[in-house]
Amino acid sequence: MTLSNGQSYLAIPGPSVIPERVLRAMHRASPNIYQGELVDLTHSLIPDLKSVAGTAHHAAIYIANGHGVWEAALSNVVKPGETVLVLATGRFCEGWGEMATALGIHIETIDFGNAADVDMTQVEAVLKADTDQRIKAVMAVHVDTSTGVRNDIVALRNTIDTAGHKALLMVDCIASLGCDEFQMDAWGVDVMVAACQKGLMTPAGVGFVFFGPRAVEVRDAMPRVSRYWDWTLRTEPEVFYQYFCGTAPTHHLYGLRAALDMINAETLPAIYNRHRVLAQCVWAAVDAWATAGTMRLNIDDPTKRSHAVTSVVITPPNSERLQTWTRENIGLTLGLGLGMDPADGYFRIGHMGHVNGQMILAALGGIDAGLKAIGVPHGAGAIEAAATVIAKAAPFQETDVSNCNTGCCGG
Ligand SMILES: *Cc1c(COP(=O)(O)O)cnc(C)c1O
């Protein structure tokens, strides 16, 4: 039998759950792309995007996914033959490095493995050894979606400064923006890339490059930048058509407007808190499972874990079996162990964007059922532990029932 009919939960780390409000905002006829509502709406997105990124500088929007803005960011500031330093803490920064290689850029990689964050001592040593300042940019991911690690971007900025290096700091926030706190200007980030289908709750297809004054200087000294990726006209368009180097991603812009309205209404501090508590709820469950058998959280130190995605180590081939079971039997789709070695010894739970307490508890309950169904040894009390985290974070208040106590609803 199957128990999968009903509202399903795509708990992969992107694309994330799309709010009804975003979907409804997109369900409309094509707007005029030269004047009127869409033009005003697009102008209204820029300050809101910048505020989510924590920057007062520039935001360029591209019709592209995360890989597109990886290429866009590099194309504006690094030319073929120049060198960048890739801080690999999982599949995603490696992938960004491969993108640089494909653009003819020379990459130097420090590989921190699949279960650790960036070790600043090693970064400082490499930057200090680069006495003729060949390294033009340092590339890092804020949250690596494959391992679930969150890198300390403030420490990375300090390390670059301490080494006396003038390299640009480029950060991938595709998984973290709108989930984990990020402050582009305060943290001294020169270029940041993000996309709309994770914390920003919009269907995949639009990406962003945020850049500050040092990046502008570097861009201006480039001999040429491919027209489509050039961020200059996109941020200072003479006519609206140039915002997107052609036709605007009309429906995505409506969806994004609705998503940003939701973010503004909830406020960023509340959003970061929600993600933190939901992540702690997931960790509590996995820690309970880990008390028997071999499952465990991939990142040991809770201060280095993402609040948007959790990577769980599980004995192969149980990851594959668990994902198949939850998908086919209860309508819960978990993330694969992406780029991990061996990949089927991991699974990932996306808890980014439009997710709440009952969704996470249901997902954890579904995983618990799956472990029992496929016979993976695991500790008891996971759901109890997860529910306790939620209960503590949201203690009962008398006002919760005041509407009924007044008798106004007859009950
Ligand atoms: C999802 C993701 C990407 C890739 O984004 P695409 O839209 O799939 O190209 C890159 N980096 C990080 C950190 C991600 O989470």
Side-chain angles (χ1 to χ4, degrees):
M1 74 167 293
T2 169
L3 302 168
S4 63
N5 285 341
Q7 181 74 55
S8 57
Y9 177 13
L10 183 67
I12 65 175
S16 63
V17 173
I18 305 169
E20 274 298 323
R21 183 167 164 189
V22 171
L23 290 173
R24 278 199 304 270
M26 298 178 78
H27 191 90
R28 60 175 68 230
S30 282
N32 184 356
I33 58 163
Y34 301 105
Q35 59 190 31
E37 187 181 75
L38 186 77
V39 176
D40 298 338
L41 181 140
T42 304
H43 290 311
S44 81
L45 295 174
I46 306 295
D48 287 347
L49 286 168
K50 287 195 218 169
S51 109
V52 175
T55 183
H57 303 298
H58 311 280
I61 310 179
Y62 293 85
I63 301 180
N65 59 16
H67 284 70
V69 289
W70 273 351
E71 179 158 337
L74 287 166
S75 301
N76 275 279
V77 290
V78 192
K79 50 180 191 267
E82 290 185 324
T83 301
V84 293
L85 180 62
V86 175
L87 306 180
T89 50
R91 184 62 205 122
F92 284 94
C93 207
E94 263 172 43
W96 199 8
E98 287 161 8
M99 182 71 81
T101 304
L103 289 168
I105 296 164
H106 177 69
I107 66 167
E108 223 170 276
T109 303
I110 316 180
D111 190 347
F112 302 96
N114 278 336
D117 63 334
V118 169
D119 170 6
M120 300 303 159
T121 326
Q122 290 186 54
V123 177
E124 190 176 335
V126 169
L127 290 177
K128 276 189 170 155
D130 183 33
T131 46
D132 48 0
Q133 305 249 342
R134 276 176 319 108
I135 295 169
K136 196 168 188 197
V138 174
M139 289 158 54
V141 287
H142 185 210
V143 159
D144 198 299
T145 324
S146 60
T147 67
V149 79
R150 178 159 44 86
N151 285 306
D152 185 344
I153 302 302
V154 177
L156 181 55
R157 172 80 263 168
N158 290 339
T159 303
I160 298 171
D161 294 345
T162 307
H165 208 289
K166 63 173 177 21
L168 291 176
L169 174 55
M170 301 177 74
V171 180
D172 168 345
C173 289
I174 296 169
S176 58
L177 196 71
C179 305
D180 278 286
E181 183 183 1
F182 182 82
Q183 298 286 344
M184 177 161 168
D185 294 354
W187 296 2
V189 173
D190 298 301
V191 178
M192 187 269 271
V193 298
C196 68
Q197 78 271 24
K198 301 192 183 183
L200 300 186
M201 310 177 288
T202 304
V206 168
F208 314 98
V209 179
F210 299 89
F211 53 99
R214 294 188 61 231
V216 171
E217 265 176 46
V218 173
R219 156 68 191 90
D220 290 347
M222 290 281 283
R224 58 176 269 289
V225 171
S226 79
R227 172 51 68 92
Y228 191 76
W229 293 134
D230 193 351
W231 64 37
T232 313
L233 273 180
R234 286 173 185 264
T235 46
E236 289 160 24
E238 286 152 23
V239 296
F240 182 74
Y241 199 63
Q242 295 169 330
Y243 245 120
F244 300 100
C245 199
T247 301
T250 50
H251 289 64
H252 276 81
L253 299 176
Y254 281 101
L256 190 58
R257 182 62 269 164
L260 288 166
D261 287 343
M262 291 174 71
I263 289 172
N264 289 342
E266 186 176 357
T267 77
L268 286 172
I271 290 170
Y272 298 148
N273 255 327
R274 174 166 56 83
H275 282 85
R276 180 180 49 78
V277 171
L278 296 179
Q280 286 168 346
C281 175
V282 171
W283 307 341
V286 181
D287 280 339
W289 288 323
T291 57
T294 56
M295 273 176 78
R296 60 180 168 79
L297 289 161
N298 184 49
I299 303 297
D300 273 341
D301 181 347
T303 65
K304 295 179 175 175
R305 289 181 202 145
S306 154
H307 295 162
V309 53
T310 296
S311 192
V312 181
V313 183
I314 186 169
T315 328
N318 287 330
S319 161
E320 185 69 47
R321 295 167 70 204
L322 178 66
Q323 288 166 61
T324 306
W325 187 89
T326 60
R327 190 180 62 242
E328 291 184 356
N329 291 282
I330 60 165
L332 169 67
T333 304
L334 298 168
L336 304 161
L338 193 72
M340 310 291 267
D341 187 27
D344 62 358
Y346 296 82
F347 72 91
R348 294 175 302 152
I349 308 166
H351 34 93
M352 47 175 60
H354 193 57
V355 284
N356 60 21
Q358 57 92 13
M359 292 165 76
I360 296 299
L361 286 171
L364 294 170
I367 295 169
D368 201 62
L371 295 173
K372 290 173 170 59
I374 64 176
V376 178
H378 60 281
I383 305 313
E384 176 95 27
T388 304
V389 170
I390 301 264
K392 279 196 178 140
F396 179 74
Q397 288 170 353
E398 284 306 326
T399 51
D400 290 353
V401 289
S402 63
N403 287 344
C404 289
N405 285 347
T406 60
C408 64
C409 55

